[in-house]
Amino acid sequence: MKTREGITPWPDAVAELYRSEGLWQGRTLGDAFAASARANADRTALVDGELALTYADLLDRVEACAARLIGRGLAPDERVVVQLPNHWTFVVLTLACLRVGIVPVMALPAHREHELRHLVSASEAVALVTPDTLRDFDHLALARSLRASNPTVRHLVVLSDDHDQPDTVGLTALCAPSDETTRGRTLPTPDAADVAVFLLSGGTTGLPKLIARTHDDYLCNLVLTALPSAVDADTVYLATLPIGHNFPLACPGILGTLIAGGTVVPLGSPRPERAFAAIERHRVTHTAAVPAVVASWLDHAGVVGVDALRSLRVLQVGGARLADELAERVVRGLPGTLQQVFGMAEGLINVTRLDDPVEVIVGTQGRPVSHLDELRVVDETTGREVAPGEPGVLLTRGPYTPRGYYDAPEANARSFTSDGFYITGDIVRQRPDGNLVVEGRSKDMINRGGENISAEEVENLVYGLRAVRLAAAVAMPHGTLGETVCLFAVLHEGHELDLATVREHFDTSGVAAFKRPDHLVTVDELPLTKVGKIDKKALREMLAAELTAS
Ligand code: OOB
């Protein structure tokens, strides 16, 4: 199937508006990168360990890699499932695909057979790109088995230290500088309206859906997110979140930094020891983290200090709700300006601005990056718009929010309105100043005997307790009430916490009594989703197992 067949296009008149407003430039991501590379030829584009590439080097490798892909028989519009760690080869390969219109499907390193099988078949991928082994998992064996059962898969491309497998292609060689086999080859160029990448829907339920992002819309995404985070040619961007995720990839992330002429530093782990060392060594100015990661950085800073972080100008935090309390600690305790980012692979990105008052940076998840982003906040049951300032489900459409998932009519019927709004499922409140406050997920509500309790609200309150490092509230089945509030908490070292203390804290905070947690489970760590968000589904399962056992 040709990619465009599975796509819900923006209406012509709307596309025309986005073009006339200059948001869609009619330019491919490959072109935009090449222009930046020519303008910044001698500057450093990419640093990974001992390898440092100038823009001229990177452009040369990208063109060479593109030529090798085409030379091996890959064609524009064919899909390639890319599952790589944060490594320089990801950058070269992705840019090479974008250059010639081969479409990468951005899998995460944590994906396993269940997800990959689905991604390969849903995208009809012709190639799989994986490490040989990573964190003790044999990716190559899985890739071989996926190839054996999927006739579309013609190539396995493997990232490995010593590559001599006859049935696979070595990724490092594919990403090598140009040579006589690559020079002079004429390469195809995609159209700006073509699909550039497939991102995956997040969430902790069901298999990920494919989100087709066009060159026009994704370039718009890069440009509009680079502006409010002040990413420019002096930026050094550290990518520690999984690099195929929209946030570190394009908000503005590695692609936005490269379009702006800055330096990208991919790092294989967000662990504080490694991140701090990389920030110090490369004088990192910008990075992005999820709340759980930033909590670990704060803890580490409490032990080693913040000297290593001196160069940091912007710390983006998003992907899940950053509790106000944690936001305050970041503002007080870490160098640079905190930028909250509330975004989604489906499109819409909201950010706090660097010059916003502290109250906005700490207490809101920002506002849209485009003046043509359309937002509606509606009542969950009636679907009608709520009064200004009231909480409701956020719907959105705009210049970088596609009108449907790829080839998924049923999911589209559920997740998009008939007039093309994406139903985010997030419960938000929009303040008079336009900033959004995320109050929860429409499914992340706990219904305690008819009282609706936002899990996020409970968590925010719990962060007011000094003992608590991380908190997650989930519904616990209950005979008469239907559901009660179960709190999972990770404590700071040397602290203790019991349920009575938590409930007392809720009482003294003047909170409705029904919101007090009914059950407390202290744990060493919380299960995380593949991008590092707290995995509520797993917590509910843990709780169910605990209840059956008792
Ligand atoms: C990002 O993208 P996804 O697709 O992995 O997840 C999107 C969902 C949102 O619908 C929302 O439920 C949640 O993740 N979320 C937040 C949040 N940022 C994302 N919830 C509360 N506060 C925030 N700041 O997660 C993503 C994509 C691009 C940039 C940043 C995050």
Side-chain angles (χ1 to χ4, degrees):
M1 179 161 113
K2 282 278 175 207
T3 306
R4 281 201 187 185
E5 288 166 24
I7 295 220
T8 318
W10 281 267
D12 289 342
V14 175
E16 202 34 61
L17 172 69
Y18 296 157
R19 282 191 202 100
S20 67
E21 289 276 326
L23 294 172
W24 288 6
Q25 301 181 25
R27 193 174 197 211
T28 66
L29 291 164
D31 269 354
F33 167 68
S36 169
R38 285 189 204 102
N40 298 289
D42 297 330
R43 300 182 76 112
T44 306
L46 183 59
V47 183
D48 187 353
E50 297 314 308
L51 182 79
L53 300 178
T54 64
Y55 271 91
D57 297 335
L58 180 57
L59 180 60
D60 174 69
R61 286 183 189 246
V62 167
E63 291 285 316
C65 178
R68 293 183 187 109
L69 292 170
I70 297 294
R72 285 185 173 271
L74 276 89
D77 199 42
E78 286 190 321
R79 272 80 62 182
V80 172
V81 171
V82 178
Q83 185 188 35
L84 288 174
N86 293 13
H87 189 257
W88 67 271
T89 51
F90 173 94
V91 180
V92 175
L93 178 80
T94 300
L95 290 168
C97 287
L98 295 172
R99 163 69 178 85
V100 290
I102 294 168
V103 186
V105 180
M106 297 297 180
L108 301 173
H111 285 143
R112 292 294 177 262
E113 180 172 3
H114 182 62
E115 293 93 3
L116 288 175
R117 194 171 287 289
H118 162 72
L119 295 180
V120 168
S121 76
S123 69
E124 298 170 283
V126 300
L128 267 167
V129 187
T130 67
D132 52 358
T133 56
L134 187 68
R135 304 209 173 89
D136 295 331
F137 183 79
D138 191 342
H139 287 271
L140 181 53
L142 173 56
R144 285 200 171 108
S145 117
L146 289 167
R147 175 174 58 183
S149 52
N150 282 279
T152 58
V153 178
R154 305 194 301 265
H155 312 273
L156 297 188
V157 179
V158 180
L159 172 62
S160 91
D161 291 339
D162 56 334
H163 190 84
D164 59 348
Q165 313 273 356
D167 66 331
T168 67
V169 180
L171 179 59
T172 321
L174 207 57
C175 296
S178 60
D179 54 35
E180 55 290 350
T181 65
T182 63
R183 281 183 213 120
R185 187 184 276 275
T186 344
L187 297 176
T189 305
D191 191 274
D194 286 342
V195 174
V197 298
F198 276 116
L199 301 180
L200 309 186
S201 65
T204 50
T205 49
L207 283 162
K209 291 175 280 290
L210 297 176
I211 304 161
R213 305 292 302 260
T214 65
H215 289 269
D216 269 331
D217 102 61
Y218 220 37
L219 183 55
C220 169
N221 193 107
L222 301 181
V223 172
L224 290 179
T225 51
L227 266 175
S229 51
V231 160
D232 59 22
D234 295 325
T235 294
V236 180
Y237 179 86
L238 175 72
T240 74
L241 291 174
I243 205 165
H245 184 264
N246 195 30
F247 191 7
L249 182 63
C251 300
I254 59 162
L255 293 178
T257 301
L258 290 172
I259 300 295
T263 304
V264 166
V265 182
L267 185 72
S269 155
R271 292 172 56 87
E273 298 78 10
R274 299 214 30 215
F276 278 41
I279 291 170
E280 182 165 33
R281 170 161 177 217
H282 302 292
R283 290 194 282 282
V284 168
T285 60
H286 288 65
T287 191
V290 290
V293 164
V294 95
S296 75
W297 291 6
L298 272 169
D299 282 355
H300 191 64
V303 179
V304 304
V306 294
D307 259 17
L309 309 182
R310 268 191 313 263
S311 54
L312 214 51
R313 286 186 220 147
V314 179
L315 174 57
Q316 294 183 303
V317 181
R321 178 65 147 90
L322 178 64
D324 297 4
E325 175 73 18
L326 208 52
E328 248 167 55
R329 289 180 52 208
V330 173
V331 167
R332 264 188 278 118
L334 297 179
T337 305
L338 167 66
Q339 177 172 62
Q340 295 215 34
V341 184
F342 163 40
M344 50 209 75
E346 285 82 355
L348 179 69
I349 307 291
N350 304 279
V351 299
T352 55
R353 306 311 198 252
L354 303 181
D355 58 358
D356 273 341
V358 174
E359 171 266 328
V360 170
I361 290 176
V362 165
T364 84
Q365 281 63 56
R367 50 197 183 278
V369 294
S370 170
H371 68 288
L372 289 184
D373 283 318
E374 298 172 73
L375 270 59
R376 271 207 236 146
V377 183
V378 305
D379 184 275
E380 220 179 321
T381 35
T382 66
R384 275 199 290 273
E385 269 184 68
V386 298
E390 289 297 311
V393 179
L394 174 67
L395 314 185
T396 186
R397 57 183 190 188
Y400 56 94
T401 303
R403 296 297 182 105
Y405 289 112
Y406 175 65
D407 193 26
E410 280 156 30
N412 288 344
R414 263 182 293 152
S415 300
F416 289 83
T417 63
S418 53
D419 53 354
F421 279 82
Y422 168 57
I423 305 169
T424 66
D426 295 313
I427 309 276
V428 305
R429 184 158 65 71
Q430 188 163 33
R431 311 193 331 172
D433 61 7
N435 288 297
L436 300 173
V437 178
V438 180
E439 304 229 309
R441 294 274 311 158
S442 56
K443 285 163 244 108
D444 200 8
M445 299 293 285
I446 301 165
N447 188 318
R448 192 175 188 284
E451 301 281 10
N452 271 315
I453 305 167
S454 148
E456 240 99 350
E457 191 190 356
V458 171
E459 290 153 14
N460 274 329
L461 286 161
V462 171
Y463 279 111
L465 288 160
R466 282 196 44 235
V468 174
R469 189 161 86 76
L470 278 178
V474 296
M476 180 163 92
H478 187 274
T480 46
L481 291 169
E483 290 174 358
T484 56
V485 181
C486 174
L487 175 68
F488 284 88
V490 180
L491 304 183
H492 287 294
E493 243 178 69
H495 283 78
E496 284 178 6
L497 188 67
D498 58 19
L499 185 63
T501 311
V502 177
R503 290 170 68 87
E504 201 180 292
H505 170 67
F506 273 55
D507 288 343
T508 52
S509 312
V511 179
F514 64 83
K515 293 181 186 167
R516 290 185 305 206
D518 301 280
H519 189 58
L520 170 70
V521 186
T522 52
V523 285
D524 290 339
E525 54 190 344
L526 291 172
L528 299 178
T529 69
K530 300 187 169 58
V531 292
K533 305 183 191 189
I534 294 171
D535 188 344
K536 295 244 166 141
K537 190 172 162 232
L539 283 176
R540 286 186 202 101
E541 286 164 7
M542 272 166 65
L543 184 60
E546 188 190 310
L547 294 174
T548 335
S550 63

